[in-house]
Amino acid sequence: MVVKPRVREYMCLTAHPEGCKENVRKQIEYVTGKGMMKDGPKKVLVIGASTGYGLASRITAAFGCGADTLGIMFERPSNGRKTATAGWYNTAAFETFASQNGYYAKSLNGDAFSKEMKEKAIQVIKEDLGKVDMVIYSLAAPRRTMEDGTTYSSVLKTTGETFTNKSLDLRTNKLSEKTVETATEEEVEATVKVMGGEDWNDWIHALVEADAIEDHAVTIAYSYIGPELTYPIYYGGTIGQAKQHLYKTADVITEEMKAKDIKGFVSVNKALVTQSSAAIPIVPLYISIMYKVMKEMGNHEGCIEQIYRMFHERLLEDPTIVDAQGLIRVDDYELSEEVQDRIKESWETVNEDNLEELADIDGYWDDFYQMFGFRIDGVDYEEDLDVVVPIPSIEE
Ligand code: NAD
């Protein structure tokens, strides 16, 4: 099949196997170019390992620390008529590169929220790795189904008044206005259920009970805070409430696992185009203005640069470098005064006529297409290729 992008607003319905492979290869090349880190983890479980920050974490753990990795994801293989999802192709590529370099890598595809997936992961850890010494929790999910069948759906709404601001219409690349509605109490609770720390804590408890996690292990979940500009929709919104719960969970894990000296951390990362962030209203315009400013200032980073820096300059320092609230921060460049002052200025003056000048719309879309394996140098997009790509460790 000759694979072309089929974009629907903030989703691309197709993914290019060779492009995804090249994407993974480039991230590996970045990490190996930096050299091996000392005292890194050796056996790592990554929950949400196939795209975005989780994939970058898996690559950093394996190729930057020499770690064996078990990755959990929720992706769709190809049936021969439709392509697989990008995360499927990324994982197939990752496993292939890992084994070529002598690193153990297995992956499990299914619902990380479920008890069965926790049991399966523990079984693989016990059989193959013994115990893990690091757990990365990088899930970004729209819903969570509980053991009793109840399903909670996360929403992206404010928790105060409705919020109206400029936005980028992703269908037309034109400026528009978006109003974000106020969530009900149930919606806030549901978002906390999905994106808060409860399931993260369940994973750690399950691993401890099964004796599948080392003493002195660390576990890290990811968050975003952002500038005041996006507070109503992010920090002060439903997702922000869920992230508050995540911060508390990090402390709960550290406290409850004191005897084993297992520590919970949250790393606050930069806003980037990923499959999850593209779906948040107002954020794509903020991201494209931020990309413009940070690229001009020479401090723009993608997922792999962020996570490599998080490992190398924060987590593996002794003791781990955290802020006054106990959070690891790699959103420091984004939130620096110089960057934010320039973003604010652009945000206030941006209009239809100067949009291309003040916002990196092309950069936004390049990142978007690249997530699905398109617009990547060196890939032949006219090639008729087999879209059924097996993941070595997954039997179908
Ligand atoms: P992403 O959409 O790229 O990745 C989500 C991962 O979760 C994928 O591997 C997917 O397969 C997996 N997944 C989703 N539902 C699952 C389920 N039910 N079972 C198993 N796996 C499942 O997302 P991302 O942007 O990399 O986000 C990861 C984390 O980083 C989130 O906590 C997010 O809030 C945080 N973060 C994101 C940004 C950003 O701008 N993108 C910034 C800072 C922090």
Side-chain angles (χ1 to χ4, degrees):
M1 187 191 295
V2 175
V3 184
K4 299 283 173 199
R6 282 180 54 212
V7 175
R8 297 281 175 278
E9 200 169 2
Y10 52 78
M11 265 311 290
C12 181
L13 305 179
T14 53
H16 198 282
E18 284 303 314
C20 289
K21 186 174 180 184
E22 182 57 11
N23 219 342
V24 171
R25 194 196 62 74
K26 280 189 175 150
Q27 292 191 51
I28 292 173
E29 190 178 67
Y30 174 81
V31 172
T32 49
K34 295 270 178 190
M36 230 8 127
M37 283 180 254
K38 270 202 288 188
D39 305 323
K42 290 292 168 248
K43 290 169 185 182
V44 180
L45 170 65
V46 184
I47 303 159
S50 52
T51 53
Y53 277 116
L55 173 65
S57 306
R58 191 175 195 186
I59 291 172
T60 304
F63 289 88
C65 305
D68 295 338
T69 59
L70 173 63
I72 316 286
M73 60 184 187
F74 208 9
E75 301 293 345
R76 192 196 63 230
S78 165
N79 59 6
R81 282 173 285 116
K82 276 187 185 170
T83 70
T85 51
W88 180 275
Y89 291 137
N90 291 340
T91 304
F94 173 84
E95 282 198 13
T96 306
F97 288 126
S99 78
Q100 281 167 4
N101 286 275
Y103 301 129
Y104 168 100
K106 275 194 184 172
S107 311
L108 294 170
N109 191 35
D111 186 6
F113 292 120
S114 70
K115 206 166 151 223
E116 298 79 65
M117 181 52 89
K118 293 179 179 77
E119 285 167 359
K120 254 197 233 170
I122 285 168
Q123 193 189 343
V124 174
I125 292 169
K126 295 205 74 126
E127 279 173 14
D128 295 357
L129 305 172
K131 295 179 187 191
V132 290
D133 58 1
M134 179 183 278
V135 180
I136 303 276
Y137 191 84
S138 187
L139 279 196
R143 67 191 69 83
R144 171 182 176 192
T145 300
M146 312 297 287
E147 287 305 309
D148 67 2
T150 316
T151 297
Y152 293 98
S153 294
S154 67
V155 298
L156 292 159
K157 293 189 177 178
T158 74
T159 55
E161 289 159 18
T162 56
F163 176 63
T164 301
N165 212 325
K166 291 171 188 170
S167 193
L168 181 65
D169 186 334
L170 295 172
R171 288 162 303 192
T172 57
N173 282 344
K174 296 220 178 312
L175 271 190
S176 63
E177 215 177 55
K178 195 102 183 176
T179 297
V180 183
E181 301 297 332
T182 309
T184 61
E185 223 160 274
E186 290 77 50
E187 286 175 320
V188 176
E189 274 167 33
T191 307
V192 173
K193 274 274 180 210
V194 182
M195 289 298 286
E198 190 177 62
D199 182 62
W200 179 27
N201 199 19
D202 287 351
W203 269 97
I204 302 303
H205 275 264
L207 289 163
V208 168
E209 274 155 33
D211 197 23
I213 184 166
E214 299 276 8
D215 289 0
H216 319 296
V218 291
T219 180
I220 308 135
Y222 295 139
S223 181
Y224 179 67
I225 291 178
E228 272 175 44
L229 181 67
T230 59
Y231 273 9
I233 174 67
Y234 201 97
Y235 186 67
T238 47
I239 182 75
Q241 293 288 311
K243 295 300 185 186
Q244 293 293 338
H245 189 266
L246 204 66
Y247 306 153
K248 283 192 207 121
T249 306
D251 295 340
V252 167
I253 290 173
T254 304
E255 185 54 35
E256 288 181 353
M257 301 303 167
K258 220 178 199 162
K260 289 180 70 60
D261 188 33
I262 295 171
K263 291 196 178 78
F265 291 104
V266 171
S267 172
V268 184
N269 305 340
K270 174 192 184 186
L272 282 172
V273 182
T274 65
Q275 296 189 36
S276 306
S277 66
I280 308 178
I282 296 160
V283 166
L285 179 62
Y286 169 77
I287 289 184
S288 25
I289 292 179
M290 185 253 287
Y291 273 24
K292 180 86 180 182
V293 169
M294 294 186 81
K295 284 180 186 175
E296 278 176 12
M297 290 176 73
N299 59 7
H300 177 68
E301 296 172 307
C303 287
I304 196 68
E305 290 86 357
Q306 278 269 289
I307 297 300
Y308 182 86
R309 192 158 67 88
M310 192 276 285
F311 269 67
H312 191 238
E313 293 177 24
R314 304 282 190 276
L315 190 67
L316 299 182
E317 286 297 314
D318 188 21
T320 296
I321 297 174
V322 293
D323 70 5
Q325 222 195 312
L327 302 169
I328 297 174
R329 305 296 296 260
V330 279
D331 60 344
D332 47 348
Y333 301 163
E334 175 187 346
L335 293 191
S336 70
E337 225 176 283
E338 304 93 290
V339 169
Q340 285 304 321
D341 283 350
R342 284 192 50 189
I343 293 177
K344 239 182 262 162
E345 207 184 301
S346 296
W347 188 273
E348 277 155 22
T349 47
V350 70
N351 59 39
E352 210 45 76
D353 300 329
N354 61 17
L355 179 64
E356 294 283 336
E357 200 186 307
L358 297 180
D360 184 18
I361 308 288
D362 290 346
Y364 180 93
W365 282 112
D366 281 348
D367 271 18
F368 179 88
Y369 278 93
Q370 283 170 8
M371 271 194 304
F372 301 94
F374 299 104
R375 293 196 188 173
I376 294 177
D377 289 345
V379 176
D380 177 4
Y381 289 109
E382 298 309 319
E383 190 189 352
D384 188 356
L385 38 74
D386 190 355
V387 292
V388 179
V389 178
I391 293 180
S393 74
I394 295 181
E395 275 176 37
E396 278 177 81

